[in-house]
Amino acid sequence: MNDEMRERIRRTRRVTIPWSDDQKRGISGTRLDELLERWANGYDWGVHERRIRELPWVSVSAGDTDLRVIHQRSAAPDAPVVVLLHGWPDSVLRFERVLPLLADMHVVVPALPGFPFATPLTAPGMSVNRIARILADALDELGYSRYTVSGGDVGGTVAEILAAEHPDRVTALHLTNIAPRRALTADPAKLAPDAAAYLRRSAQWFRTDGGYIAEQSTRPNTLAVALGDSPAGLAAWIVEKLESWSDESAFTPDELLTWVTAYWVTGTIGTSFATYVEPVTLPDWIGTPTVLSVFPRDIKPEPRSYAEVFLNLCAYVEHPAGGHFAAWEQPEAYADDVHRAVKLGR
């Protein structure tokens, strides 16, 4: 992390707000000050950068796109293949802790286009549907014709589309949530009572906690300038989500700063909004055998009856702890459910 970055952090202009210590209104002033102090005067990005660089990165040509992926090969040539797909506001770092637990498989972790560590995104049009097509081409280029796909958030939506478009290739799905946009079109009158109740809770969540979605999907240019020019603004925007969507103490201060710094040094906060902006086409039904992992601290965990409307749900696994970043928070539980999905596919 260069001197210019540290100087920006040290020169942060503190903004007076009436609700500085009300965590329901966003990150608290005290918490942000603690993180900025650590970021400017003690945090060492170089240590984390070296670790990230040492991951088994490869570049794969996928049509007109170069996709950067972590490609962890198993010692067994005929091992099953698993594709892990991250979401927002994170990156491939979501899966660092789970990689050692999947050594019996060939594991592919793409840096999704527009996100940290990916090839720079310079043009519009990077929808989740396009990402699914890019991934299919990249996996074909890697020589994989059959695989299990695991993901959540943006990655989960990409996984659903990939499975629907390539049922001959995707042997099983492992998801931590259903594509959120399904809640906007589902008909409560056709749902089981608990599924209809979930839709009402989901609508309430969008009203009280989904403001970031409205801004990122409708005014990405404006927001990208604010966050891309201010380390403090970027940290406030991302850390609020990392902490409120996960179990308490899921991240140390340095881990939070590493996930934020990944966005800063790659300059990708603006391009990470692409999947919020671009239109989405979702399949009505996915016949691929699916495992849904439900973690209690996730944003809005879906009931089984709701998931069954859209998925060939073969296992609905409720966990006692963990949240939106389950592969990071509960890597053993996450890996167990990935193995469960792989067995389904076989």
Side-chain angles (χ1 to χ4, degrees), residues 214-239:
E215 185 69 15
Q216 291 179 180
S217 62
T218 63
R219 298 296 185 271
N221 294 354
T222 306
L223 186 60
V225 173
L227 302 184
D229 191 56
S230 168
L234 183 67
W237 193 257
I238 291 179
V239 170

PDB file of all heavy atoms in Angstrom, residues 214-239:
ATOM      1  N   ALA A 214     -30.653   0.075  -4.665  1.00  0.00           N
ATOM      2  CA  ALA A 214     -31.261   1.123  -5.487  1.00  0.00           C
ATOM      3  C   ALA A 214     -30.202   2.062  -6.036  1.00  0.00           C
ATOM      4  O   ALA A 214     -30.227   2.430  -7.217  1.00  0.00           O
ATOM      5  CB  ALA A 214     -32.290   1.894  -4.665  1.00  0.00           C
ATOM      6  N   GLU A 215     -29.253   2.460  -5.202  1.00  0.00           N
ATOM      7  CA  GLU A 215     -28.223   3.396  -5.652  1.00  0.00           C
ATOM      8  C   GLU A 215     -27.270   2.743  -6.651  1.00  0.00           C
ATOM      9  O   GLU A 215     -26.944   3.324  -7.690  1.00  0.00           O
ATOM     10  CB  GLU A 215     -27.439   3.929  -4.446  1.00  0.00           C
ATOM     11  CG  GLU A 215     -26.425   5.011  -4.781  1.00  0.00           C
ATOM     12  CD  GLU A 215     -27.053   6.324  -5.202  1.00  0.00           C
ATOM     13  OE1 GLU A 215     -28.267   6.501  -4.971  1.00  0.00           O
ATOM     14  OE2 GLU A 215     -26.330   7.182  -5.742  1.00  0.00           O
ATOM     15  N   GLN A 216     -26.818   1.523  -6.351  1.00  0.00           N
ATOM     16  CA  GLN A 216     -25.856   0.851  -7.233  1.00  0.00           C
ATOM     17  C   GLN A 216     -26.464   0.490  -8.582  1.00  0.00           C
ATOM     18  O   GLN A 216     -25.766   0.463  -9.597  1.00  0.00           O
ATOM     19  CB  GLN A 216     -25.303  -0.408  -6.552  1.00  0.00           C
ATOM     20  CG  GLN A 216     -24.409  -0.088  -5.371  1.00  0.00           C
ATOM     21  CD  GLN A 216     -23.857  -1.293  -4.647  1.00  0.00           C
ATOM     22  OE1 GLN A 216     -23.121  -1.157  -3.686  1.00  0.00           O
ATOM     23  NE2 GLN A 216     -24.211  -2.490  -5.083  1.00  0.00           N
ATOM     24  N   SER A 217     -27.757   0.236  -8.606  1.00  0.00           N
ATOM     25  CA  SER A 217     -28.389  -0.184  -9.854  1.00  0.00           C
ATOM     26  C   SER A 217     -28.859   0.992 -10.706  1.00  0.00           C
ATOM     27  O   SER A 217     -28.989   0.851 -11.923  1.00  0.00           O
ATOM     28  CB  SER A 217     -29.578  -1.112  -9.560  1.00  0.00           C
ATOM     29  OG  SER A 217     -30.567  -0.441  -8.799  1.00  0.00           O
ATOM     30  N   THR A 218     -29.091   2.150 -10.089  1.00  0.00           N
ATOM     31  CA  THR A 218     -29.644   3.278 -10.846  1.00  0.00           C
ATOM     32  C   THR A 218     -28.666   4.431 -11.042  1.00  0.00           C
ATOM     33  O   THR A 218     -28.757   5.155 -12.036  1.00  0.00           O
ATOM     34  CB  THR A 218     -30.902   3.835 -10.157  1.00  0.00           C
ATOM     35  OG1 THR A 218     -30.547   4.349  -8.864  1.00  0.00           O
ATOM     36  CG2 THR A 218     -31.972   2.765 -10.021  1.00  0.00           C
ATOM     37  N   ARG A 219     -27.741   4.651 -10.098  1.00  0.00           N
ATOM     38  CA  ARG A 219     -26.795   5.764 -10.196  1.00  0.00           C
ATOM     39  C   ARG A 219     -25.367   5.281  -9.935  1.00  0.00           C
ATOM     40  O   ARG A 219     -24.648   5.806  -9.086  1.00  0.00           O
ATOM     41  CB  ARG A 219     -27.157   6.872  -9.197  1.00  0.00           C
ATOM     42  CG  ARG A 219     -28.511   7.507  -9.423  1.00  0.00           C
ATOM     43  CD  ARG A 219     -28.604   8.244 -10.761  1.00  0.00           C
ATOM     44  NE  ARG A 219     -29.874   8.947 -10.913  1.00  0.00           N
ATOM     45  CZ  ARG A 219     -30.970   8.390 -11.440  1.00  0.00           C
ATOM     46  NH1 ARG A 219     -30.930   7.126 -11.867  1.00  0.00           N
ATOM     47  NH2 ARG A 219     -32.086   9.084 -11.540  1.00  0.00           N
ATOM     48  N   PRO A 220     -24.909   4.237 -10.647  1.00  0.00           N
ATOM     49  CA  PRO A 220     -23.575   3.693 -10.385  1.00  0.00           C
ATOM     50  C   PRO A 220     -22.447   4.682 -10.650  1.00  0.00           C
ATOM     51  O   PRO A 220     -21.432   4.673  -9.948  1.00  0.00           O
ATOM     52  CB  PRO A 220     -23.493   2.491 -11.326  1.00  0.00           C
ATOM     53  CG  PRO A 220     -24.455   2.812 -12.434  1.00  0.00           C
ATOM     54  CD  PRO A 220     -25.580   3.538 -11.766  1.00  0.00           C
ATOM     55  N   ASN A 221     -22.598   5.537 -11.664  1.00  0.00           N
ATOM     56  CA  ASN A 221     -21.534   6.493 -11.981  1.00  0.00           C
ATOM     57  C   ASN A 221     -21.270   7.442 -10.812  1.00  0.00           C
ATOM     58  O   ASN A 221     -20.126   7.699 -10.437  1.00  0.00           O
ATOM     59  CB  ASN A 221     -21.904   7.313 -13.214  1.00  0.00           C
ATOM     60  CG  ASN A 221     -21.979   6.487 -14.477  1.00  0.00           C
ATOM     61  OD1 ASN A 221     -21.653   5.310 -14.461  1.00  0.00           O
ATOM     62  ND2 ASN A 221     -22.411   7.094 -15.562  1.00  0.00           N
ATOM     63  N   THR A 222     -22.349   7.966 -10.249  1.00  0.00           N
ATOM     64  CA  THR A 222     -22.220   8.916  -9.142  1.00  0.00           C
ATOM     65  C   THR A 222     -21.574   8.257  -7.930  1.00  0.00           C
ATOM     66  O   THR A 222     -20.648   8.803  -7.319  1.00  0.00           O
ATOM     67  CB  THR A 222     -23.613   9.459  -8.758  1.00  0.00           C
ATOM     68  OG1 THR A 222     -24.240  10.002  -9.919  1.00  0.00           O
ATOM     69  CG2 THR A 222     -23.509  10.513  -7.677  1.00  0.00           C
ATOM     70  N   LEU A 223     -22.059   7.087  -7.588  1.00  0.00           N
ATOM     71  CA  LEU A 223     -21.546   6.390  -6.409  1.00  0.00           C
ATOM     72  C   LEU A 223     -20.094   5.966  -6.601  1.00  0.00           C
ATOM     73  O   LEU A 223     -19.293   6.038  -5.662  1.00  0.00           O
ATOM     74  CB  LEU A 223     -22.424   5.168  -6.121  1.00  0.00           C
ATOM     75  CG  LEU A 223     -22.131   4.403  -4.838  1.00  0.00           C
ATOM     76  CD1 LEU A 223     -22.297   5.310  -3.623  1.00  0.00           C
ATOM     77  CD2 LEU A 223     -23.050   3.189  -4.723  1.00  0.00           C
ATOM     78  N   ALA A 224     -19.740   5.536  -7.807  1.00  0.00           N
ATOM     79  CA  ALA A 224     -18.373   5.080  -8.075  1.00  0.00           C
ATOM     80  C   ALA A 224     -17.365   6.195  -7.842  1.00  0.00           C
ATOM     81  O   ALA A 224     -16.255   5.959  -7.336  1.00  0.00           O
ATOM     82  CB  ALA A 224     -18.264   4.556  -9.500  1.00  0.00           C
ATOM     83  N   VAL A 225     -17.724   7.444  -8.201  1.00  0.00           N
ATOM     84  CA  VAL A 225     -16.818   8.566  -7.980  1.00  0.00           C
ATOM     85  C   VAL A 225     -16.585   8.765  -6.486  1.00  0.00           C
ATOM     86  O   VAL A 225     -15.446   8.920  -6.022  1.00  0.00           O
ATOM     87  CB  VAL A 225     -17.371   9.855  -8.616  1.00  0.00           C
ATOM     88  CG1 VAL A 225     -16.515  11.053  -8.227  1.00  0.00           C
ATOM     89  CG2 VAL A 225     -17.435   9.715 -10.133  1.00  0.00           C
ATOM     90  N   ALA A 226     -17.655   8.753  -5.722  1.00  0.00           N
ATOM     91  CA  ALA A 226     -17.541   8.992  -4.278  1.00  0.00           C
ATOM     92  C   ALA A 226     -16.703   7.923  -3.596  1.00  0.00           C
ATOM     93  O   ALA A 226     -15.819   8.227  -2.781  1.00  0.00           O
ATOM     94  CB  ALA A 226     -18.941   9.048  -3.661  1.00  0.00           C
ATOM     95  N   LEU A 227     -16.953   6.672  -3.915  1.00  0.00           N
ATOM     96  CA  LEU A 227     -16.262   5.573  -3.244  1.00  0.00           C
ATOM     97  C   LEU A 227     -14.863   5.344  -3.819  1.00  0.00           C
ATOM     98  O   LEU A 227     -13.949   4.960  -3.095  1.00  0.00           O
ATOM     99  CB  LEU A 227     -17.083   4.290  -3.353  1.00  0.00           C
ATOM    100  CG  LEU A 227     -18.507   4.339  -2.793  1.00  0.00           C
ATOM    101  CD1 LEU A 227     -19.159   2.966  -2.897  1.00  0.00           C
ATOM    102  CD2 LEU A 227     -18.511   4.828  -1.352  1.00  0.00           C
ATOM    103  N   GLY A 228     -14.707   5.567  -5.111  1.00  0.00           N
ATOM    104  CA  GLY A 228     -13.422   5.318  -5.740  1.00  0.00           C
ATOM    105  C   GLY A 228     -12.375   6.355  -5.418  1.00  0.00           C
ATOM    106  O   GLY A 228     -11.178   6.121  -5.619  1.00  0.00           O
ATOM    107  N   ASP A 229     -12.784   7.520  -4.893  1.00  0.00           N
ATOM    108  CA  ASP A 229     -11.848   8.595  -4.581  1.00  0.00           C
ATOM    109  C   ASP A 229     -11.588   8.730  -3.086  1.00  0.00           C
ATOM    110  O   ASP A 229     -10.740   9.507  -2.677  1.00  0.00           O
ATOM    111  CB  ASP A 229     -12.377   9.934  -5.121  1.00  0.00           C
ATOM    112  CG  ASP A 229     -11.327  11.029  -5.059  1.00  0.00           C
ATOM    113  OD1 ASP A 229     -10.237  10.829  -5.632  1.00  0.00           O
ATOM    114  OD2 ASP A 229     -11.599  12.072  -4.443  1.00  0.00           O
ATOM    115  N   SER A 230     -12.314   7.979  -2.268  1.00  0.00           N
ATOM    116  CA  SER A 230     -12.192   8.131  -0.818  1.00  0.00           C
ATOM    117  C   SER A 230     -12.015   6.774  -0.143  1.00  0.00           C
ATOM    118  O   SER A 230     -12.961   5.986  -0.092  1.00  0.00           O
ATOM    119  CB  SER A 230     -13.441   8.818  -0.250  1.00  0.00           C
ATOM    120  OG  SER A 230     -13.458   8.730   1.158  1.00  0.00           O
ATOM    121  N   PRO A 231     -10.835   6.476   0.381  1.00  0.00           N
ATOM    122  CA  PRO A 231     -10.676   5.216   1.126  1.00  0.00           C
ATOM    123  C   PRO A 231     -11.655   5.105   2.288  1.00  0.00           C
ATOM    124  O   PRO A 231     -12.211   4.026   2.534  1.00  0.00           O
ATOM    125  CB  PRO A 231      -9.227   5.284   1.616  1.00  0.00           C
ATOM    126  CG  PRO A 231      -8.542   6.216   0.690  1.00  0.00           C
ATOM    127  CD  PRO A 231      -9.578   7.238   0.286  1.00  0.00           C
ATOM    128  N   ALA A 232     -11.875   6.219   2.994  1.00  0.00           N
ATOM    129  CA  ALA A 232     -12.801   6.180   4.128  1.00  0.00           C
ATOM    130  C   ALA A 232     -14.213   5.873   3.658  1.00  0.00           C
ATOM    131  O   ALA A 232     -14.931   5.077   4.277  1.00  0.00           O
ATOM    132  CB  ALA A 232     -12.779   7.506   4.879  1.00  0.00           C
ATOM    133  N   GLY A 233     -14.636   6.488   2.550  1.00  0.00           N
ATOM    134  CA  GLY A 233     -15.963   6.213   2.016  1.00  0.00           C
ATOM    135  C   GLY A 233     -16.100   4.770   1.574  1.00  0.00           C
ATOM    136  O   GLY A 233     -17.127   4.124   1.836  1.00  0.00           O
ATOM    137  N   LEU A 234     -15.075   4.261   0.917  1.00  0.00           N
ATOM    138  CA  LEU A 234     -15.094   2.865   0.475  1.00  0.00           C
ATOM    139  C   LEU A 234     -15.196   1.917   1.660  1.00  0.00           C
ATOM    140  O   LEU A 234     -15.993   0.972   1.654  1.00  0.00           O
ATOM    141  CB  LEU A 234     -13.839   2.566  -0.340  1.00  0.00           C
ATOM    142  CG  LEU A 234     -13.725   1.172  -0.937  1.00  0.00           C
ATOM    143  CD1 LEU A 234     -14.783   0.953  -2.026  1.00  0.00           C
ATOM    144  CD2 LEU A 234     -12.324   0.933  -1.509  1.00  0.00           C
ATOM    145  N   ALA A 235     -14.403   2.170   2.693  1.00  0.00           N
ATOM    146  CA  ALA A 235     -14.444   1.321   3.886  1.00  0.00           C
ATOM    147  C   ALA A 235     -15.802   1.376   4.555  1.00  0.00           C
ATOM    148  O   ALA A 235     -16.353   0.341   4.963  1.00  0.00           O
ATOM    149  CB  ALA A 235     -13.351   1.747   4.868  1.00  0.00           C
ATOM    150  N   ALA A 236     -16.370   2.574   4.684  1.00  0.00           N
ATOM    151  CA  ALA A 236     -17.682   2.701   5.322  1.00  0.00           C
ATOM    152  C   ALA A 236     -18.732   1.917   4.545  1.00  0.00           C
ATOM    153  O   ALA A 236     -19.573   1.223   5.135  1.00  0.00           O
ATOM    154  CB  ALA A 236     -18.074   4.175   5.416  1.00  0.00           C
ATOM    155  N   TRP A 237     -18.704   2.009   3.223  1.00  0.00           N
ATOM    156  CA  TRP A 237     -19.709   1.360   2.379  1.00  0.00           C
ATOM    157  C   TRP A 237     -19.612  -0.160   2.466  1.00  0.00           C
ATOM    158  O   TRP A 237     -20.628  -0.851   2.569  1.00  0.00           O
ATOM    159  CB  TRP A 237     -19.520   1.820   0.926  1.00  0.00           C
ATOM    160  CG  TRP A 237     -20.650   1.494  -0.005  1.00  0.00           C
ATOM    161  CD1 TRP A 237     -20.686   0.487  -0.930  1.00  0.00           C
ATOM    162  CD2 TRP A 237     -21.905   2.180  -0.115  1.00  0.00           C
ATOM    163  NE1 TRP A 237     -21.881   0.505  -1.613  1.00  0.00           N
ATOM    164  CE2 TRP A 237     -22.644   1.532  -1.132  1.00  0.00           C
ATOM    165  CE3 TRP A 237     -22.458   3.271   0.544  1.00  0.00           C
ATOM    166  CZ2 TRP A 237     -23.916   1.959  -1.506  1.00  0.00           C
ATOM    167  CZ3 TRP A 237     -23.728   3.682   0.172  1.00  0.00           C
ATOM    168  CH2 TRP A 237     -24.448   3.028  -0.840  1.00  0.00           C
ATOM    169  N   ILE A 238     -18.386  -0.690   2.444  1.00  0.00           N
ATOM    170  CA  ILE A 238     -18.200  -2.144   2.409  1.00  0.00           C
ATOM    171  C   ILE A 238     -18.249  -2.762   3.798  1.00  0.00           C
ATOM    172  O   ILE A 238     -18.912  -3.786   4.014  1.00  0.00           O
ATOM    173  CB  ILE A 238     -16.879  -2.490   1.702  1.00  0.00           C
ATOM    174  CG1 ILE A 238     -16.971  -2.162   0.209  1.00  0.00           C
ATOM    175  CG2 ILE A 238     -16.521  -3.966   1.894  1.00  0.00           C
ATOM    176  CD1 ILE A 238     -15.707  -2.451  -0.585  1.00  0.00           C
ATOM    177  N   VAL A 239     -17.564  -2.159   4.762  1.00  0.00           N
ATOM    178  CA  VAL A 239     -17.484  -2.765   6.095  1.00  0.00           C
ATOM    179  C   VAL A 239     -18.854  -2.874   6.748  1.00  0.00           C
ATOM    180  O   VAL A 239     -19.154  -3.850   7.440  1.00  0.00           O
ATOM    181  CB  VAL A 239     -16.505  -1.984   6.988  1.00  0.00           C
ATOM    182  CG1 VAL A 239     -16.605  -2.446   8.452  1.00  0.00           C
ATOM    183  CG2 VAL A 239     -15.073  -2.157   6.481  1.00  0.00           C
TER     184      VAL A 239
END
